[in-house]
Amino acid sequence: EIVLTQSPGTLSLSPGERATVSCRASQSVSSSYLAWYQQKPGQAPRLLMYGASSRATGIPDRFSGSGSGTDFTLTISRLEPEDFAVYHCQQYGSSPLTFGGGTKVEIK
Amino acid sequence: EVQLVESGGGLVQPGGALRVSCVASGFTFNGHTMSWVRQAPGKGLEWVSAISRSGEYTYYADSVKGRFTISRDNSKNTVDLQMDSLRADDTAVYYCAKEVIDHAIEYWFFDVWGRGTLVTVSS
């Protein structure tokens, strides 16, 4: 099973700042099959990125993803108030599907 | 509107059973593999189970294999998760999720999620 480790656990930033979330895999993720989700309290996850760097429908371009192999990054170029949430990575290149532990982006 | 709505959660004693259901609308249900993903209180997401479009193939996480059974009824656009021999560590919000098909290829990430149903296992 591929273990995904996200860092940091919590990121304290101000609106307008840049956020960088890391997702490291215990082994190479096949074909960069890595997705990112945003989750707000009491809500279901929302798909942000897939294929490591493709934005899902309706996702603003301040969100970007990069990486391959075992190291992946989600970047939010300028934080908007609605971006403060928990972010999860997920690999779908091998069975079983696995998720990272989540990174909370909170207002500083 | 594409939508998934879960139901059936509740409080159950350790060793007991519960069945949660998900009804889908707004998309061609029998054209997609469906999954259940859970989230324990304050924890991350954990994939639990998936079922193929026809229902012929089922998949389970090791943590639930032999205790949980996934099924679907394409005539009713529903997918169920029968949970037996429940343990305290099965306590979680259970989400129903739809996988993505792009250019006729299935990818097991999820573009539609339900709001979830809470299952609490406690005496």
Side-chain angles (χ1 to χ4, degrees):
Chain A
E1 157 176 333
I2 295 180
V3 176
L4 299 179
T5 302
Q6 289 186 233
S7 61
T10 302
L11 199 51
S12 298
L13 295 168
S14 300
E17 290 194 293
R18 181 186 189 90
T20 302
V21 181
S22 172
C23 178
R24 179 162 290 178
S26 61
Q27 52 189 284
S28 184
V29 176
S30 172
S31 303
S32 294
Y33 282 174
L34 189 105
W36 289 95
Y37 301 88
Q38 177 193 68
Q39 187 178 30
K40 296 180 180 179
Q43 295 186 17
R46 172 195 182 197
L47 177 66
L48 294 176
M49 313 289 300
Y50 61 93
S53 60
S54 297
R55 271 187 299 276
T57 303
I59 302 303
D61 61 7
R62 64 180 180 272
F63 290 90
S64 63
S66 63
S68 63
T70 61
D71 290 301
F72 298 88
T73 300
L74 173 71
T75 301
I76 311 170
S77 59
R78 294 172 308 280
L79 282 164
E80 297 287 341
E82 62 268 28
D83 299 336
F84 292 92
V86 176
Y87 292 85
H88 306 271
C89 59
Q90 178 224 335
Q91 68 80 22
Y92 53 99
S94 65
S95 180
L97 307 180
T98 51
F99 291 86
T103 292
K104 182 178 183 180
V105 178
E106 65 176 20
I107 299 177
K108 186 175 181 179
Chain B
E1 179 191 5
V2 177
Q3 197 172 12
L4 298 170
V5 179
E6 301 92 339
S7 62
L11 175 64
V12 60
Q13 292 188 337
L18 198 65
R19 189 179 188 91
V20 292
S21 297
C22 170
V23 59
S25 58
F27 66 97
T28 305
F29 181 72
N30 62 11
H32 293 270
T33 292
M34 298 296 295
S35 278
W36 287 94
V37 177
R38 68 185 180 183
Q39 186 171 35
K43 302 296 185 182
L45 299 166
E46 179 189 16
W47 173 80
V48 172
S49 182
I51 187 165
S52 63
R53 288 173 278 186
S54 66
E56 182 177 3
Y57 301 104
T58 57
Y59 311 87
Y60 299 95
D62 285 347
S63 58
V64 306
K65 200 172 293 182
R67 300 187 299 122
F68 289 13
T69 303
I70 191 171
S71 60
R72 68 189 294 163
D73 185 337
N74 286 341
S75 69
K76 297 180 179 178
N77 285 4
T78 58
V79 55
D80 292 350
L81 187 68
Q82 174 67 40
M83 302 181 289
D84 299 322
S85 302
L86 282 161
R87 312 185 303 222
D89 62 358
D90 293 317
T91 294
V93 174
Y94 283 74
Y95 295 102
C96 175
K98 167 188 162 292
E99 56 91 62
V100 170
I101 292 180
D102 187 22
H103 293 90
I105 299 173
E106 290 188 73
Y107 298 96
W108 284 24
F109 62 94
F110 310 110
D111 62 347
V112 181
W113 297 67
R115 298 186 69 174
T117 188
L118 176 63
V119 173
T120 303
V121 184
S122 175
S123 54

